[in-house]
Structure formats: C-alpha cells, structure tokens
Amino acid sequence: MRNILFISLALVVLMACDRSHDGTLDDTFETQVVDIVTYTGLDNDNHATFRLDGRDDDPAVTLYSTVGAPDKVKENERLLLTYSIAHHAGDNSYWNIDAVGYSRIINDSIRVNANPLDTYSMRPIKLHSAWRTGEFINIYGQVETTGKNRLLYMMIDRDTKYSETVDAYLVHDLLGTPGDSIFQWRDFYMSINIAALKSTNAPCRTLRLHLNDENNPNVTYRDFKIK
C-alpha cells in the first residue's frame, strides 16, 4: 500500500453567512453556499467548470463560472467551493454561478490493507458529518493540531472486499507525535473515491466505515448504501 504523508489540514471557508452591524441579514452573504465539487476543466470561453454530484445517487449538476482556472488545481480534483447561484437551468442539469473562492481538501481513492488490521492507528477525530455523493464518500470533521506530518486515509479490509457489506477503516496516524504537543482541534474535509466498490466484480451494497469518533464514542461505524 502506498503511504502519503498528509501535511495540511487547515481549510478556510472564504465567505459565509454573516450579519451586518445592525443585526440585519446581508442578502449577498445569505445566498452563498459551500459544497465539495469536482473541477472539470475550462469551457469554450476559458472559464472554470465544476461538477456537483448529487446526494447518494441523485443526478449531478454542472456548475459554469465566469472565473479562470483555479491556481495549481488539476482536472478531476475535489475542492471545497464557495459560490452563489446566478441562474438555474430549467431541468436543473446546470447552474450558472458566481464563484467566490475555494479551498484544497484531501483527495484520495479507497485503499486495501496490506498488513493486519490491528497494526493500523485509528487516532480519534471529531466527526461533524459524513455523506456519499455518487462515487465519493465525503467527510467533514476535526483532528488534533500538531504541526507535524500525519497519515489520514480510508482503507478496506481485504477479507470483505468482495462481500455485500465491505468493512472500511478511517486510518489516522500521528506518526509518533507526542500527545503533549497537541493544544487544539482544527477542521478538515476529505473526499474518497470508492468507484472500485461499484465494479461488476464487487457485489458491495453497504460500505461500513469504522472510525474513532470523539464526538460520539458509543457509535463506532457509519453505514453507506451503494446501488
């Protein structure tokens, strides 16, 4: 299994709902939304386009912007995009948007364990939400701040790879960073491609994600249905 050092966890939502000093809601901010999207390249006018996958298996929406290519972002990379909707297509197949900003997030594909499961670290996270959009499992949560490299990825138990319920684990390894160097928690977003579980050779109907959630220690896994 390849190991990728996950270095940066800080993500900043560039614009969000806010209120003016007199307590009145600012309509400009109110209309802005934040979604995990896929950068799909440039249109004929050299404007950036994005794909917003629907929740579970709902249809995807193409987002057409009026900005250029995101800096140092490759096609098919997943991003946290802040935008407002300028126009809806009649059939909702595309939206014209005003892109406000984006943040880089963890992009990866689901992995398979090469060693016994009990040799992998599952350091706690604080889970805020986890959801599936098409071929992606998306996670928003918090991890401890260390200022050091770490590992954070999703891994299948190879013994269940071809089962109807596939067991996966959120591996979180601080790589030996001592606990007394940790002072606070910081946000992270990640999006994991699980397309391999939807192949004709894999009958997976449920992905069972095991994780160590400090927010809810009595619940040790989350189930995601896959058609």
Side-chain angles (χ1 to χ4, degrees):
M1 176 185 13
R2 68 193 189 283
N3 283 335
I4 297 177
L5 293 183
F6 172 55
I7 299 171
S8 176
L9 287 162
L11 289 168
V12 179
V13 177
L14 302 181
M15 290 290 186
C17 249
D18 200 359
R19 292 180 181 272
S20 62
H21 293 296
D22 63 3
T24 303
L25 188 65
D26 186 328
D27 290 337
T28 302
F29 285 97
E30 186 179 19
T31 60
Q32 290 175 352
V33 293
V34 180
D35 282 310
I36 295 178
V37 302
T38 302
Y39 171 57
T40 52
L42 300 175
D43 63 15
N44 293 334
D45 296 318
N46 287 323
H47 294 153
T49 63
F50 306 89
R51 186 186 72 248
L52 174 62
D53 293 295
R55 185 64 67 104
D56 297 324
D57 295 292
D58 287 347
V61 177
T62 301
L63 308 181
Y64 292 98
S65 75
T66 56
V67 299
D71 186 39
K72 298 180 180 179
V73 174
K74 298 178 180 179
E75 285 192 31
N76 297 317
E77 186 171 343
R78 302 279 280 169
L79 302 169
L80 188 71
L81 181 69
T82 305
Y83 63 97
S84 59
I85 302 169
H87 175 261
H88 283 274
D91 60 359
N92 214 38
S93 60
Y94 74 86
W95 302 343
N96 294 323
I97 66 166
D98 294 322
V100 177
Y102 70 92
S103 297
R104 309 290 287 272
I105 67 173
I106 306 170
N107 285 259
D108 202 4
S109 295
I110 199 160
R111 311 184 188 194
V112 180
N113 65 304
N115 301 309
L117 291 174
D118 60 7
T119 64
Y120 294 88
S121 173
M122 291 179 63
R123 182 82 181 182
I125 69 164
K126 289 184 177 180
L127 181 67
H128 296 318
S129 59
W131 68 102
R132 181 173 70 84
T133 53
E135 296 180 342
F136 298 94
I137 298 294
N138 309 294
I139 296 176
Y140 166 46
Q142 291 181 305
V143 293
E144 300 141 308
T145 300
T146 65
K148 304 292 185 180
N149 294 349
R150 72 181 74 210
L151 296 173
L152 183 62
Y153 58 89
M154 192 180 299
M155 178 186 72
I156 293 173
D157 174 7
R158 66 170 58 252
D159 291 339
T160 66
K161 184 177 180 181
Y162 298 107
S163 303
E164 289 204 359
T165 297
V166 173
D167 287 300
Y169 295 81
L170 189 64
V171 176
H172 182 205
D173 191 339
L174 296 186
L175 300 175
T177 300
D180 58 7
S181 66
I182 298 167
F183 301 101
Q184 61 185 7
W185 293 77
R186 64 193 300 180
D187 290 349
F188 77 92
Y189 287 83
M190 68 189 305
S191 188
I192 307 299
N193 190 315
I194 60 166
L197 298 181
K198 301 185 74 173
S199 70
T200 56
N201 294 326
C204 176
R205 296 294 178 267
T206 301
L207 175 69
R208 176 159 293 173
L209 176 60
H210 301 261
L211 71 167
N212 186 356
D213 180 12
E214 184 155 313
N215 280 339
N216 198 351
N218 294 323
V219 179
T220 59
Y221 64 86
R222 301 291 190 280
D223 282 348
F224 301 91
K225 299 300 181 182
I226 300 175
K227 290 184 179 180

